Every structure is written in structure tokens, then in C-alpha cells.
Amino acid sequence: MTTFLKKFLLCVVALSPSCIWMAGAFAPTTSFSTGTYSTARRAAESEVSFGDLDGSDIRIGIIRTRWNEEHVKNLVDGCRKALKECNVKDENIFETTVPGSYELPLAARFLALSGTVDAIVTAGVLIKGETLHFEYISEAVSSGLMSVQLQTQTPIVYGVLNCLTEDQVKARSTGDNNHGEDWGKTAVEMAVLRNEALNIKGIKGNKLMDLGFNKASALETKEKKGAPGFF
């Protein structure tokens, strides 16, 4: 083999995509197993650390789906647990339901535009099936929620689990790996950030009741005829 050919082959190997990918500064540290990421088994473990969060003056809205209700309830329970740990008052937590994940973006927009909450947590579960339904719904919901929070300046936590199996859902919605807890803390942190950045002052007292979440009497309802009642 000539010296020229040896140099040529060395250059080809050095410049091959696989070699560049492995030698680059951004080469993944996670190893691959056959057909799957080895990180899949660790995906339920939170890698986010939260400092001390004070949500005593924060209003949080939770919009949950009735589809996969059992799992979603567990996630919402985890979210409420985290909100309590962050000193968010029960009266400052509003919760409502929609049929499925596809309805989350519009419901979140309605709630954000109502001006009654500082952040929103959306909770849903999508499990891969035999059709493309999973892919279409997942992408639409993710894009829709991002659009809503950018347009309304209201933080929206994407609390929709996208899993291949029900076992994966259970691993992420129960026990110490309940993702709902991270979602609750994220909502408080982003709400505080939003209020500080936009110089939004808190409202003293029972915020959600002051803003129309109380159960109005028949007379009050009559006087407020025509006012929106969903939120």
C-alpha cells in the first residue's frame, strides 16, 4: 500500500460521521442497548432540583383530562402535594377537567386569558397505540400549549405523559417518581418568575374567590347575568 493511499484512508476514517459524532464535544454519555436507550429505565427519576419556593401569594390552575383518569388523578395528587409544600393555599388552586389531551391547549388559553391564575399545570396521559393517533395528538398538544403560554405570558407546565406502555405511565405517576410533584414546583417557580419580571403585585385575601370563583347566590347570579362562568 502506497504512502499516499495510507494517508487517504486515515483521512476518510477521521472525517467519517461516526467518528466525528463519537469524538465531538457533544458526544452522548448515555450508552445504547439493542433498540432502546438505556436511560429509558431511569426516565422516571427527576433530575431537576428546586430550591425553597414560596407560593403563598401564587394562584395555580390545574387542567386535567378525564381520559386515563386513574393515572391523571395520581399525577394531580402529586402536583397538589408539591403545591402544598410550596405554601400555595388551597383556595388559590383552581382545578377543572376536559375530555382529553387534545382539548388542553384551548382550555389553557381560556384560563390564561381570564387573568385569574399566575401559572397553569396541564395534566394528561397519552399511551402509544397501534395507530398514528398518539403522534398527532402529542405534537399538537405540545405545540398548542407552547403557543398559548408565549401569547398570554402565563406559564403553562406541560404535564402530559407520553408513554409506550401503561407500565411506563405507572412508573411516572406513583410513589417517589410521581412527575406531578415536579410539575407543581415548576408552576410555582415560573409563576414567581413571571410576576417578578412583569412587576405583577399579588392580591391579598382569597384570590380565586375575589376573582369570581366563589359559589354565588341566586341573586348574585342574576345580577351577573351574561358574565362568563366557566372559570
Side-chain angles (χ1 to χ4, degrees):
M1 184 179 293
T2 64
T3 302
F4 173 79
L5 184 57
K6 289 180 180 179
K7 291 182 178 180
F8 175 78
L9 291 175
L10 287 174
C11 289
V12 171
V13 172
L15 293 176
S16 65
S18 60
C19 290
I20 293 174
W21 175 69
M22 292 302 294
F26 295 98
T29 56
T30 301
S31 61
F32 286 86
S33 59
T34 305
T36 59
Y37 278 105
S38 63
T39 53
R41 294 185 296 272
R42 305 197 308 271
E45 299 175 5
S46 174
E47 297 180 359
V48 180
S49 59
F50 296 91
D52 294 331
L53 296 170
D54 182 15
S56 57
D57 200 34
I58 294 297
R59 304 164 297 175
I60 300 295
I62 300 175
I63 305 178
R64 53 184 285 186
T65 67
R66 296 192 298 275
W67 192 265
N68 289 313
E69 188 167 13
E70 178 183 353
H71 301 305
V72 175
K73 180 182 183 302
N74 291 333
L75 291 165
V76 171
D77 288 344
C79 178
R80 283 183 168 273
K81 176 185 175 183
L83 294 178
K84 185 175 182 179
E85 292 175 356
C86 294
N87 302 317
V88 178
K89 300 180 179 67
D90 288 338
E91 60 266 28
N92 282 342
I93 302 175
F94 169 67
E95 182 178 324
T96 191
T97 68
V98 292
S101 294
Y102 194 77
E103 288 72 45
L104 288 173
L106 183 58
R109 181 174 176 83
F110 288 151
L111 182 54
L113 292 177
S114 74
T116 56
V117 295
D118 299 305
I120 299 171
V121 177
T122 58
V125 170
L126 293 173
I127 303 176
K128 171 68 175 176
E130 296 180 352
T131 67
L132 293 177
H133 181 80
F134 173 87
E135 285 82 355
Y136 286 125
I137 297 297
S138 178
E139 182 176 354
V141 173
S142 175
S143 176
L145 291 177
M146 176 59 75
S147 177
V148 170
Q149 71 171 344
L150 292 177
Q151 291 175 6
T152 63
Q153 298 181 335
T154 301
I156 299 178
V157 179
Y158 180 72
V160 180
L161 289 183
N162 296 265
C163 298
L164 299 179
T165 66
E166 190 168 6
D167 286 340
Q168 290 180 348
V169 176
K170 292 178 180 178
R172 291 155 178 78
S173 60
T174 57
D176 295 335
N177 292 329
N178 190 326
H179 282 14
E181 296 184 25
D182 282 355
W183 300 342
K185 292 180 180 179
T186 298
V188 173
E189 181 174 333
M190 292 304 296
V192 171
L193 176 64
R194 168 218 186 222
N195 290 354
E196 290 179 350
L198 302 181
N199 195 29
I200 297 175
K201 305 298 182 182
I203 303 173
K204 294 182 179 180
N206 189 330
K207 291 184 177 182
L208 295 183
M209 291 186 68
D210 292 341
L211 291 168
F213 283 79
N214 57 319
K215 295 181 180 179
S217 65
L219 178 60
E220 290 174 330
T221 301
K222 184 176 181 180
E223 292 176 348
K224 296 180 181 179
K225 185 177 180 180
F230 184 64
F231 294 114

